[in-house]
């Protein structure tokens, strides 16, 4: 919207008059244009020195954003996508970008290249991810009293994501979720060994029950209305104990030991240790012995201690990662035998009390 005003001096004999002519233009197109103002006069006669029409013009620049477009309206994870914002050039123009109303000026996941009439938003490593789904806004600010112009678009990035490996405790059910990005697919299906799985499936989640075998591969497939489909796969590593530690009863001051053994797995163990209550024993403890049987499949871990008077409770803990571990059942070291002898002496008689523990020595 732009107002134009011109003051025109009109001479009629010796009388002078001034008239203001105003015009309002609505819905102007972005860019440069020229508007003319024409003043027509009634000349007194043909011989007079009078121009019946006087014209004046005004050059108008309508600033703002003319278009915002994506090189791929529907992209897939890994595609190279660029968003281009085109605007009217001006010496004071400043262009910024937002995603979901968050400024991207300092976000290292994006690269912004701006020129006199265009600004291009690129994605890190020239590859889009599911995290790049969202609403992008280009804002052109021309300063002064001119209101900043903005234009937005929704970037659609289709993708299907599963963890490359799924860590599962052999004694518990585990759920795995297929993360589908972009516009909603028509269907999401699960399969194993080329056969579709229909049981224990809810929405995009599959429940792996107790008894799932180690090393099995599962895949999730999302299909859209345009018949495009994407698939992701995960391999399940099952962690469990082959041998649980057994409780031990031994005589006071004797040495006893416990052993736990892990089942074979295509995964690997970061470490295996023992817990005494809430306290963990590391491998520098002289009571802990470890033996690796090779290939990361079988590992024995033993603990031994000199039995003291106090009953001790232990469990074996095997770590696949710092955040994922399995813990065995608890077992106890129990002391058996004589634990104290007291002698009582008085003037008339001498007696000895012998207290036995849970199980007699003989």
């Amino acid at each position: 919207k732009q107002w134009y005003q011109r003051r025109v001096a009109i001479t009629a004999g010796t009388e002078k008059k001034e008239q203001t002519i105003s015009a309002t233009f609505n819905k102007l197109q972005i860019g440069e244009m020229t508007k003319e103002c024409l003043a027509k006069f009634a000349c007194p006669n043909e011989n007079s020195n009078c121009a019946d029409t006087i014209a004046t013009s005004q050059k108008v620049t309508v600033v703002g954003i003319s278009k915002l477009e994506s090189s791929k309206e529907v992209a897939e994870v890994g595609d190279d996508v660029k968003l281009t914002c085109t605007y009217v050039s001006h010496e004071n123009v400043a262009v910024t970008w937002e995603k979901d109303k968050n400024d991207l000026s300092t976000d290292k996941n994006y690269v912004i290249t701006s020129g006199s009439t265009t600004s291009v938003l690129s994605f890190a490593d020239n590859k889009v991810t599911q995290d790049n789904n969202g609403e992008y806004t280009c804002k052109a600010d021309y300063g002064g009293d001119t209101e900043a112009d903005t234009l937005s678009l929704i970037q659609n990035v289709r993708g299907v994501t599963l963890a490359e490996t799924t860590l599962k405790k052999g004694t518990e059910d585990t759920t795995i979720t297929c993360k589908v990005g972009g516009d909603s697919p028509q269907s999401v299906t699960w399969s194993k060994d080329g056969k579709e799985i229909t049981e224990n499936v809810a929405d995009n989640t599959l429940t792996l029950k107790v008894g799932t075998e180690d090393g099995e591969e599962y895949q999730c497939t999302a299909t859209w209305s345009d018949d495009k489909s994407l698939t992701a796969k995960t391999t399940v590593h099952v962690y469990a104990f082959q041998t649980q530690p057994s409780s031990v009863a031994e005589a006071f001051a004797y040495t006893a030991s416990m052993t736990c053994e892990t089942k074979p797995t295509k995964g690997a163990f970061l470490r295996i240790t023992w817990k005494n209550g809430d306290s963990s024993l590391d491998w520098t403890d002289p009571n802990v012995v470890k033996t690796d049987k090779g290939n990361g499949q079988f590992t024995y871990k033993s603990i031994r201690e000199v039995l003291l008077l106090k009953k001790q409770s232990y469990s074996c803990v095997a770590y696949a990662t710092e955040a994922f571990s399995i813990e065995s059942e608890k077992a106890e070291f129990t002391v058996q035998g004589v634990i104290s002898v007291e002698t009582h002496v008085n003037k008339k008689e001498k007696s000895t009390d012998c207290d036995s523990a849970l199980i007699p020595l003989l």
Side-chain angles (χ1 to χ4, degrees):
K1 188 173 185 180
Q2 181 68 45
W3 284 85
Y4 298 92
Q5 292 187 341
R6 286 290 177 269
R7 304 181 69 82
V8 182
I10 304 173
T11 302
T14 59
E15 182 182 1
K16 293 186 178 181
K17 297 180 179 180
E18 255 189 15
Q19 181 178 348
T20 299
I21 304 172
S22 300
T24 301
F25 300 94
N26 294 312
K27 298 182 180 180
L28 295 175
Q29 298 297 315
I30 289 175
E32 292 186 352
M33 63 196 73
T34 300
K35 297 294 183 181
E36 288 188 340
C37 175
L38 302 177
K40 291 183 181 249
F41 300 88
C43 294
N45 54 64
E46 295 181 356
N47 298 323
S48 63
N49 186 19
C50 173
D52 63 352
T53 303
I54 299 176
T56 184
S57 64
Q58 174 73 45
K59 183 179 179 181
V60 180
T61 300
V62 182
V63 295
I65 300 172
S66 59
K67 63 181 176 180
L68 174 61
E69 56 188 354
S70 170
S71 59
K72 288 188 178 181
E73 292 183 2
V74 179
E76 295 181 3
V77 170
D79 285 348
D80 183 6
V81 177
K82 288 180 172 53
L83 307 185
T84 302
C85 179
T86 304
Y87 46 88
V88 174
S89 177
H90 192 275
E91 60 182 3
N92 295 327
V93 66
V95 179
T96 55
W97 288 84
E98 294 179 355
K99 176 182 182 290
D100 300 329
K101 298 183 179 180
N102 296 313
D103 184 72
L104 300 180
S105 300
T106 59
D107 195 323
K108 295 182 179 179
N109 294 313
Y110 301 89
V111 178
I112 298 173
T113 306
S114 297
S116 60
T117 58
T118 59
S119 180
V120 178
L121 179 73
S122 303
F123 299 87
D125 300 323
N126 295 321
K127 294 179 180 179
V128 289
T129 68
Q130 289 193 46
D131 293 334
N132 297 134
N133 275 295
E135 182 182 51
Y136 290 83
T137 300
C138 177
K139 180 179 180 181
D141 190 347
Y142 289 86
D145 296 331
T146 305
E147 185 178 350
D149 195 16
T150 61
L151 204 58
S152 301
L153 63 75
I154 300 296
Q155 180 59 57
N156 183 10
V157 182
R158 289 176 177 175
V160 177
T161 305
L162 278 175
E164 185 177 344
T165 57
T166 298
L167 309 183
K168 183 184 183 308
K169 296 182 180 181
T171 56
E172 298 178 5
D173 293 346
T174 301
T175 58
I176 52 178
T177 300
C178 185
K179 183 181 177 183
V180 181
D183 52 331
S184 299
Q186 277 192 329
S187 65
V188 177
T189 57
W190 290 88
S191 61
K192 185 186 76 171
D193 299 329
K195 297 180 180 179
E196 184 176 351
I197 300 172
T198 56
E199 295 182 352
N200 305 317
V201 174
D203 297 327
N204 297 352
T205 301
L206 171 66
T207 300
L208 302 175
K209 309 296 285 185
V210 173
T212 299
E213 295 184 9
D214 179 73
E216 291 183 327
E217 184 179 82
Y218 294 82
Q219 68 178 31
C220 166
T221 301
T223 304
W224 281 267
S225 57
D226 56 4
D227 293 330
K228 295 288 184 66
S229 62
L230 295 172
T231 298
K233 300 178 181 179
T234 185
T235 301
V236 177
H237 294 168
V238 180
Y239 294 86
F241 287 103
Q242 187 101 325
T243 303
Q244 300 272 357
S246 299
S247 295
V248 176
E250 186 58 87
F252 170 64
Y254 277 68
T255 298
S257 66
M258 290 177 181
T259 299
C260 71
E261 178 186 0
T262 60
K263 281 187 176 181
T265 176
K266 289 188 176 181
F269 285 104
L270 183 65
R271 68 180 185 278
I272 302 180
T273 187
W274 291 83
K275 282 177 61 177
N276 181 355
D278 293 329
S279 301
S280 296
L281 304 179
D282 59 33
W283 296 123
T284 61
D285 192 297
N287 290 328
V288 177
V289 179
K290 62 176 181 177
T291 305
D292 194 339
K293 297 187 70 174
N295 298 325
Q297 292 188 351
F298 286 96
T299 309
Y300 286 93
K301 303 296 176 183
S302 299
I303 185 170
R304 62 169 182 260
E305 74 167 7
V306 177
L307 298 180
L308 303 177
L309 299 182
K310 185 179 178 181
K311 181 186 292 185
Q312 300 287 334
S313 177
Y314 289 92
S315 59
C316 183
V317 184
Y319 290 85
T321 67
E322 292 294 346
F324 182 89
S325 63
I326 56 174
E327 184 172 354
S328 71
E329 298 173 358
K330 292 184 178 180
E332 294 180 339
F333 282 125
T334 302
V335 183
Q336 62 181 7
V338 176
I339 59 173
S340 68
V341 177
E342 296 182 3
T343 301
H344 304 278
V345 180
N346 57 39
K347 294 181 179 180
K348 296 183 179 180
E349 61 183 9
K350 181 172 71 175
S351 64
T352 299
D353 294 332
C354 177
D355 296 332
S356 61
L358 299 177
I359 305 173
L361 281 173
L362 301 176

